[in-house]
Amino acid sequence: MLLLRHCRGLTRVGLLKTQRVQLLQGAALPVAVCAGSLCARWGSSHGGHKSGQYQRSHGPNWRHALAGLLAGTGAVLAYGLYHSQTEQAATTIVQPIAPASSLPIYTQDEVTKHRSVEEGVWVTYKGSVYDITEFVSMHPGGDKILLAAGGALEPFWALYAVHSQDHVLEILSEYKVGELSAEDRRKQQSVKSTDPYSTDPERHPALRINSLKPFNAEPPPEILSDNYITPSAIFFKRNHLPVPQVDPKSYLLQVEGVPGGASLSLSLEELKTRFPKHTVTATLQCAGNRRSEMNKVKQVKGLNWGIAAISNATWSGARLKDVLLAAGYRSEVAQQTSHVQFEGLDSDVTGTTYGASIPLNKAVSEEGDVLLAYQMNGEDLPADHGYPVRVVVPGTVGARNVKWLGKIIVSEEESSSHWQQNDYKGFSPATDWDTVDFKSAPAIQELPIQSAITQPVEGAVVERSAEEVTVKGYAWSGGGREVVRVDVSLDGGRTWQVAQLQSSEKGQVPAPSPPPGRAWAWKLWELTAPLPPAVQELEIVCKAVDNSYNMQPDSVAPIWNLRGVLSNAWHRVKVTVKEDEEKQKLL
């Protein structure tokens, strides 16, 4: 019955969309007859429930295949699938609904105007334009479908494996309303400009952009916690300068300043072959994560980050300690030097490069796990994340995890870089730009305890008929301190419940507890609780506790600072409880 009801819905979409019917000029819509091709696609013609095929006895499952049309709710796959899937999709033959000449030509600007249900939800795929407005309300993944509105489907199809199936392409074809202009198809092959950012890599359209040049963006909160390991494509991007073009064949990493040692120069191949490969799962967080909440108290200077300037990945490479040993480091060096500086290959028009430093004891500690990483999530580092080599300093603020690493310097002094000396430092709420003295504060290294709610999002609506609400989020603490508890409140902090913690992908064997002081990765968390009776709004709050019993402050104002860094107050989200229509009539 459930399947039949949805088939009727699809029939209504197929037959009542006047514009589409006119455009198709009477072409047969296979979605119009449930007993025919649509049900057959998920019915016995595909055999058993194998390899992504669906039986009729699994009626609701076909909805999950449809969910994958855009952002979906299935497990996000590695972005590396993109090329193989698009190549497969390119060989898929989908019968055209009507001759191309009978369909209108649209520009990308025209498509981009259709990004809401009110204005229509249009997307493009392989040069064709589709109006999927009437499908939005049926999407099992809810509003996630709108992430691709006004843009291309391909990046989203790369994240969700279901799209490579022929029947999904057939369903999409039924929403076709036109063709993309030839000019817009050619734009990706357009001539490079003299803009220093013109060679920056393509980015996933789901990312919420805080600045284009340099590029800084974060994923939507509602998909951030879908995966314990964040796919590289939607891992938050924090660039200070244009992404450099680095030839891996000519790349050289310089190591200098080790007392009693000699300068060392390593090619990428030497870094990979001379030193053992180590792998660490570590969360990186921007110092400005959740800055937008400080802006609500009083305006600060900096990118207006939401809650998603944080992500988790698996990093592989050589240990920094091993490389320093090869350059002549010995334990007595610690008496003469205190810092390890890093210089990136990204630079501004004056040739000034990005730089940062970390304490020497962190760099050479056996338990510090500092890597010169050349892989992320099992693949070569993406360009935005430091290809070919970056520093990964687990438990330390993202600003010290220098990308496109060109030079390592063992020194008595911190890095003289602007970003070490005159940025990424915390101050009193009483300090303003007239009185601030950056020399008076230490550079941020380890970050404080942090947690946030990723689902539901601010302003979401919860149906009373659901009887319960599921809350999801992340929690992490700097310095290798393990998150041991997350408390969640549905009433603004008056009463609390303990969330369930997750330290691996769902369905996998839970990861063992990390050694003390080496809890580098976040924990995802989830709580499903009954809806409180007789309330029209929930104020959901979360707060985390680490194994040193550090806790988040309850409000933003006391930790406000002029740069908007270290924002880790209790996270709050307000959602509306929608009463059942029948009950409202009785009232």
Side-chain angles (χ1 to χ4, degrees), residues 268-276 374:
L268 180 59
E269 185 64 21
E270 287 173 322
L271 189 65
K272 292 181 177 181
T273 56
R274 282 185 56 179
F275 305 96
Y374 44 77

Side-chain angles (χ1 to χ4, degrees), residues 156-171:
F156 292 90
W157 282 37
L159 291 177
Y160 294 90
V162 69
H163 309 117
S164 61
Q165 300 181 49
D166 292 352
H167 56 262
V168 177
L169 290 170
E170 292 176 28
I171 291 173

Side-chain angles (χ1 to χ4, degrees), residues 111-309:
V111 175
T112 302
K113 293 176 182 178
H114 296 80
R115 305 183 67 178
S116 67
V117 173
E118 293 74 21
E119 298 294 331
V121 179
W122 289 19
V123 295
T124 65
Y125 180 69
K126 290 189 178 297
S128 296
V129 179
Y130 302 87
D131 178 355
I132 50 94
T133 308
E134 295 183 35
F135 175 70
V136 171
S137 63
M138 295 182 290
H139 183 237
D143 289 345
K144 287 183 182 180
I145 196 170
L146 297 176
L147 293 173
L153 283 176
E154 284 89 339
F156 292 90
W157 282 37
L159 291 177
Y160 294 90
V162 69
H163 309 117
S164 61
Q165 300 181 49
D166 292 352
H167 56 262
V168 177
L169 290 170
E170 292 176 28
I171 291 173
L172 177 65
S173 71
E174 291 154 10
Y175 291 88
K176 184 172 178 177
V177 294
E179 303 287 349
L180 196 60
S181 71
E183 180 183 355
D184 284 310
R185 293 194 200 189
R186 289 193 299 266
K187 275 187 178 179
Q188 58 182 340
Q189 284 87 33
S190 60
V191 179
K192 295 179 181 178
S193 72
T194 56
D195 184 344
Y197 293 94
S198 64
T199 56
D200 271 17
E202 291 186 13
R203 281 88 178 201
H204 198 281
L207 293 171
R208 294 181 175 175
I209 298 171
N210 284 315
S211 76
L212 278 172
K213 299 178 182 182
F215 189 82
N216 292 280
E218 60 190 303
E222 57 267 35
I223 67 174
L224 177 62
S225 59
D226 279 353
N227 299 271
Y228 180 72
I229 300 296
T230 311
S232 303
I234 59 171
F235 196 105
F236 84 96
K237 310 289 190 283
R238 177 63 176 111
N239 297 335
H240 296 83
L241 299 161
V243 175
Q245 301 293 295
V246 184
D247 181 357
K249 294 180 180 179
S250 60
Y251 171 79
L252 287 176
L253 173 62
Q254 306 292 336
V255 184
E256 304 174 357
V258 178
S263 296
L264 181 65
S265 182
L266 296 169
S267 68
L268 180 59
E269 185 64 21
E270 287 173 322
L271 189 65
K272 292 181 177 181
T273 56
R274 282 185 56 179
F275 305 96
K277 180 180 179 181
H278 292 264
T279 298
V280 173
T281 298
T283 296
L284 299 187
Q285 180 181 211
C286 180
N289 190 33
R290 299 181 58 191
R291 180 179 284 131
S292 58
E293 294 164 60
M294 286 195 174
N295 273 323
K296 293 176 182 178
V297 174
K298 183 181 177 182
Q299 194 68 31
V300 300
K301 289 187 178 180
L303 298 170
N304 196 41
W305 292 108
I307 68 165

Side-chain angles (χ1 to χ4, degrees), residues 416-488:
S416 60
S417 164
H418 163 83
W419 294 280
Q420 187 83 20
Q421 298 301 324
N422 296 306
D423 203 350
Y424 298 123
K425 296 182 176 184
F427 295 94
S428 164
T431 301
D432 59 27
W433 288 101
D434 293 326
T435 60
V436 64
D437 176 11
F438 277 94
K439 301 298 181 185
S440 68
I444 299 170
Q445 294 287 343
E446 297 177 358
L447 285 169
I449 181 75
Q450 177 71 280
S451 72
I453 300 161
T454 57
Q455 299 180 43
V457 297
E458 177 73 21
V461 175
V462 178
E463 298 287 345
R464 171 67 67 185
S465 58
E467 299 182 351
E468 59 185 19
V469 60
T470 296
V471 187
K472 298 181 181 181
Y474 65 77
W476 179 77
S477 191
R481 293 176 289 275
E482 183 178 8
V483 171
V484 296
R485 193 179 81 235
V486 173
D487 300 322
V488 180

